[in-house]
Amino acid sequence: MRLFQDRTGDELLGERDALRRVQHVADATATEKAAFAARLDRTRAEELSILSFHRGVVGNREKLLEAALTRSVVTLDGIGADDRNLTLIASGGRLIEQAKMSLASEDVAEGVVPGDVLNVFDNSHDPDTVRWAVLNCHDYTHADIIASLIKERIELLVVVTMNAASQLYWEYATADVHRLFCFVVIVNVAELGGSGAFVPFRRFGKKRHATLRTAGQIFSTRGPVETTAFVELDVDELRRLRTAYGERGLAGPKDMDSVRYAPLAPSEHYMHTHDRGAGAPPVDRVQDIRLDWNGDDPLVAVVQLNSLPAKDYVSCRYRLRDLDKLDGRANRVRNFESGVSLHLEMLERQLAMRPPGDRQLDFLVLPEVFVSRGFADEVIVPFCRRTNAIAICGVDYPGETDEENCNSAWIMTGAGLFRSYEKITRSQYDALDVVDGERMRMTRGDTLYRFVNGQHQAFGVLICYDFSHFDLVHRINLQGRDGPLDALFVIAHNPFGELYRTCCIADSHRFYQHVVLCNVATYGGSGVFAPVRTEGARQTLMAAGLRNETVALTRLALNAQREARDKTDAQLHEEAKGIGTMMRRPGIYSRRL
């Protein structure tokens, strides 16, 4: 694959109106057409070439069609006489037009007519070819399109863009190579930069120093620069991994015998999970439940503390009440839960020291499979009663037998347990047996819950590996609703806290909502994320760090978020005067697809 990040010839950086003007290609000059023709001459046979936008494309349809006989070429075509904003895909002897489906505010201002076709390039006729799809800039922000692509099981997603939000698109891509388990390539114009290639691998090679990042960003550009890059995407290995995870899944080695890479574990779409074959996790229903909660500006306490060692959970079959019975001298559970109690006492004191009118805690959030059910009943419920808070907490397994095993998040109020949400998916860390390499049975949930107050404001809860499934995130947000949830709470006990942090940033914009992540301190990554311009880490209202024990208080700006959802991007752009202002809206606020 060859990426061409070239200049358009227009001054785009910092010129929002220029992004609108330059896309009109009907008046392209002969010089511009010749310049694009020269770029096409740089492409090579048997390769995929992705060219950044240039107005001269308009005079080169025949040359693109000729190229399609020996290679594949993707580029933006701009806004034509029929008012469509087109992407051109020259491949297999054809020139395919794909009209932009999700319109940015610039498109709307220019009277662009939206498209309604998403092309997926099928490889069932020839297994040596790649199954892939192409998106045009703002299409990549649209949650409905991403949910559709998951069903298509693409191997490569190409995003051609002319957009200053390259950092946000990198967050999207890092989340998507995990959730779609595919390659993602982004190509921008040189004036704006930010092109990149992303792979679903954590490392090349088996040495720890070979780490790329949570998902492999194997190529990227920063700032205005012209560059050409040749990138090899190991599609054969991706297919081998998809097959291996599908056949062996949790029973196989974590790296699935990959010689060259340390792969990211995929979602259940490609993972055999001990007692269930690979495929979309089944959900019977999405249920709305009435619960009074502060949907305006709730104060949230994220409890990122050390848990008991993982081996302790396994040794007692995830039933913490039995751990001290196995070693009566240790009192490990009693000491651990006494420490959690102490942190809750300190939190109450901290709340009491806040100014009057700012002492009400609305949510207390603790990690996945964190404390015993007895502790939740005897300590957390009374805490909720004293503070009038809602608690979301991961508890240990119920009952005595393997048939009763389940991973639950309890939603509690001062009146007691309000609802138990059972994890829908099963990860490599769930229900491990005391016999090394073996696994216990695990009963999974089949219902997603949304908690709705009298003003129709709603929040949802997911447990860890559930969050690796964009289809679950999409359903809990949008099934049977006109718009997304106000907030999503994710509790985790996950070594890949950095990966989930990226998913939180991507989802907080694609669904234009607050996302609260609570992980154990050992793995870190807990935080509060929103579609807000923030100092330091993007869209981050709170970041708890790694191996840091903390109870962090953060106020969610749900009223401001709700008001921004009802504004146009032009209004949001005018109001974007710095830190704390809301970002522009994603595709689902353009229209549902």
Side-chain angles (χ1 to χ4, degrees):
M1 180 188 65
R2 206 168 292 271
L3 292 76
F4 297 87
Q5 180 177 287
D6 294 320
R7 292 182 59 83
T8 65
D10 288 80
E11 190 59 49
L12 301 180
L13 199 59
E15 291 288 335
R16 186 167 180 265
D17 287 339
L19 290 172
R20 295 163 54 178
R21 294 193 303 267
V22 74
Q23 294 184 77
H24 290 277
V25 296
D27 60 345
T29 65
T31 301
E32 289 174 321
K33 294 173 184 178
F36 187 83
R39 294 182 182 183
L40 276 179
D41 289 337
R42 292 156 58 195
T43 66
R44 299 184 184 181
E46 305 301 326
E47 289 183 359
L48 167 63
S49 293
I50 310 167
L51 280 65
S52 59
F53 172 75
H54 188 274
R55 283 164 46 84
V57 64
V58 70
N60 284 277
R61 290 291 185 100
E62 290 187 9
K63 193 174 181 69
L64 278 165
L65 187 58
E66 179 183 352
L69 297 172
T70 58
R71 66 206 67 189
S72 294
V73 180
V74 177
T75 191
L76 293 176
D77 192 43
I79 302 172
D82 60 358
D83 291 328
R84 294 185 300 161
N85 189 328
L86 294 178
T87 305
L88 297 180
I89 305 103
S91 186
R94 301 171 60 201
L95 183 61
I96 298 102
E97 296 180 345
Q98 180 171 292
K100 192 175 188 179
M101 297 163 281
S102 177
L103 302 186
S105 58
E106 292 86 357
D107 297 306
V108 175
E110 298 303 300
V112 170
V113 177
D116 59 4
V117 174
L118 171 63
N119 292 286
V120 175
F121 295 90
D122 185 24
N123 66 345
S124 60
H125 62 290
D126 183 358
D128 289 333
T129 61
V130 178
R131 187 171 177 82
W132 60 302
V134 179
L135 297 182
N136 179 338
C137 201
H138 203 259
D139 291 343
Y140 200 33
T141 73
H142 206 300
D144 290 341
I145 294 176
I146 304 305
S148 185
L149 287 173
I150 287 178
K151 300 175 185 176
E152 296 294 342
R153 300 174 71 86
I154 58 170
E155 297 166 323
L156 168 65
L157 176 61
V158 173
V159 182
V160 276
T161 182
M162 190 163 58
N163 193 326
S166 58
Q167 294 292 320
L168 173 61
Y169 278 34
W170 288 2
E171 303 286 359
Y172 285 164
T174 303
D176 292 343
V177 295
H178 167 54
R179 286 165 159 174
L180 277 68
F181 204 52
C182 71
F183 300 103
V184 177
V185 177
I186 300 170
V187 174
N188 205 354
V189 295
E191 288 89 345
L192 303 175
S195 299
F198 300 79
V199 298
F201 312 129
R202 291 182 291 119
R203 292 194 296 273
F204 287 116
K206 299 303 181 72
K207 302 297 183 182
R208 295 184 67 83
H209 67 268
T211 300
L212 298 166
R213 57 175 294 180
T214 300
Q217 186 172 358
I218 60 172
F219 167 75
S220 62
T221 67
R222 291 179 182 270
V225 59
E226 285 198 303
T227 188
T228 301
F230 177 75
V231 180
E232 289 186 331
L233 302 181
D234 198 341
V235 176
D236 279 344
E237 179 64 3
L238 174 66
R239 291 174 177 172
R240 191 196 69 80
L241 287 168
R242 284 183 171 186
T243 299
Y245 278 117
E247 292 176 350
R248 292 191 285 170
L250 299 181
K254 289 185 179 180
D255 63 359
M256 283 298 162
D257 299 320
S258 183
V259 174
R260 190 179 180 194
Y261 310 105
L264 281 171
S267 71
E268 284 191 1
H269 289 266
Y270 300 99
M271 176 79 82
H272 189 289
T273 51
H274 182 61
D275 53 358
R276 191 159 72 195
V283 175
D284 285 352
R285 57 180 176 157
V286 181
Q287 183 177 351
D288 290 341
I289 299 175
R290 173 64 187 270
L291 175 64
D292 290 331
W293 64 281
N294 174 10
D296 297 329
D297 57 351
L299 183 64
V300 177
V302 177
V303 181
Q304 178 177 286
L305 300 177
N306 288 325
S307 65
L308 287 164
K311 62 181 179 62
D312 285 349
Y313 289 93
V314 175
S315 67
C316 67
R317 296 161 50 250
Y318 299 82
R319 293 168 171 85
L320 295 184
R321 60 190 177 279
D322 295 336
L323 182 59
D324 287 345
K325 298 176 186 176
L326 299 175
D327 185 357
R329 297 168 298 173
N331 291 324
R332 281 173 287 183
V333 175
R334 182 183 303 173
N335 293 338
F336 163 67
E337 292 186 335
S338 293
V340 177
S341 294
L342 181 59
H343 279 282
L344 295 181
E345 291 173 13
M346 293 171 64
L347 173 59
E348 286 193 75
R349 294 179 186 177
Q350 183 181 356
L351 291 168
M353 294 170 62
R354 293 168 70 92
D358 192 31
R359 296 173 181 171
Q360 174 58 53
L361 180 68
D362 296 291
F363 289 97
L364 175 74
V365 191
L366 298 96
E368 173 193 20
V369 191
F370 190 61
V371 297
S372 67
R373 293 171 180 244
F375 181 86
D377 276 332
E378 297 163 11
V379 177
I380 296 179
V381 168
F383 174 91
C384 293
R385 192 175 301 126
R386 293 191 299 272
T387 61
N388 200 31
I390 296 169
I392 300 168
C393 177
V395 294
D396 64 354
Y397 290 6
E400 303 293 337
T401 66
D402 288 357
E403 287 73 18
E404 299 170 278
N405 289 346
C406 64
N407 185 336
S408 304
W410 277 10
I411 294 85
M412 293 167 279
T413 69
L417 173 62
F418 181 77
R419 182 68 55 168
S420 179
Y421 166 63
E422 274 64 59
K423 189 176 182 180
I424 288 172
T425 60
R426 176 173 185 160
S427 78
Q428 57 191 308
Y429 309 108
D430 283 312
L432 294 171
D433 204 326
V434 292
V435 179
D436 190 35
E438 298 294 325
R439 295 179 185 274
M440 301 185 292
R441 292 182 58 174
M442 177 177 160
T443 300
R444 313 191 206 192
D446 59 10
T447 303
L448 293 166
Y449 295 108
R450 300 185 293 224
F451 300 90
V452 186
N453 64 17
Q455 290 74 48
H456 306 291
Q457 300 154 350
F459 72 87
V461 177
L462 293 175
I463 302 175
C464 204
Y465 192 44
D466 292 346
F467 194 49
S468 290
H469 297 73
F470 190 84
D471 45 335
L472 296 185
V473 180
H474 186 263
R475 289 188 68 176
I476 197 172
N477 268 289
L478 292 170
Q479 182 171 311
R481 287 180 57 86
D482 293 332
L485 302 169
D486 296 274
L488 179 66
F489 294 87
V490 181
I491 63 171
H493 202 132
N494 191 326
F496 298 104
E498 175 69 11
L499 173 61
Y500 274 19
R501 181 203 68 83
T502 297
C503 292
C504 288
I505 291 172
D507 291 353
S508 71
H509 184 257
R510 275 184 175 144
F511 295 98
Y512 215 74
Q513 67 186 184
H514 282 61
V515 181
V516 178
L517 173 65
C518 183
N519 203 2
V520 295
T522 306
Y523 305 131
S526 301
V528 179
F529 309 90
V532 176
R533 294 177 176 84
T534 55
E535 290 182 302
R538 67 169 304 116
Q539 297 169 239
T540 304
L541 303 183
M542 184 278 289
L546 175 65
R547 299 187 184 91
N548 176 40
E549 288 202 295
T550 184
V551 178
L553 288 169
T554 309
R555 193 169 289 285
L556 310 189
L558 300 187
N559 272 338
Q561 174 182 276
R562 206 170 291 117
E563 291 171 2
R565 287 176 170 182
D566 292 332
K567 294 179 179 178
T568 66
D569 282 343
Q571 289 174 305
L572 292 171
H573 180 77
E574 290 300 317
E575 296 172 2
K577 304 302 181 184
I579 302 304
T581 55
M582 303 299 294
M583 299 171 65
R584 293 173 61 174
R585 302 176 307 162
I588 54 172
Y589 290 94
S590 167
R591 62 172 181 150
R592 294 297 307 279
L593 297 173

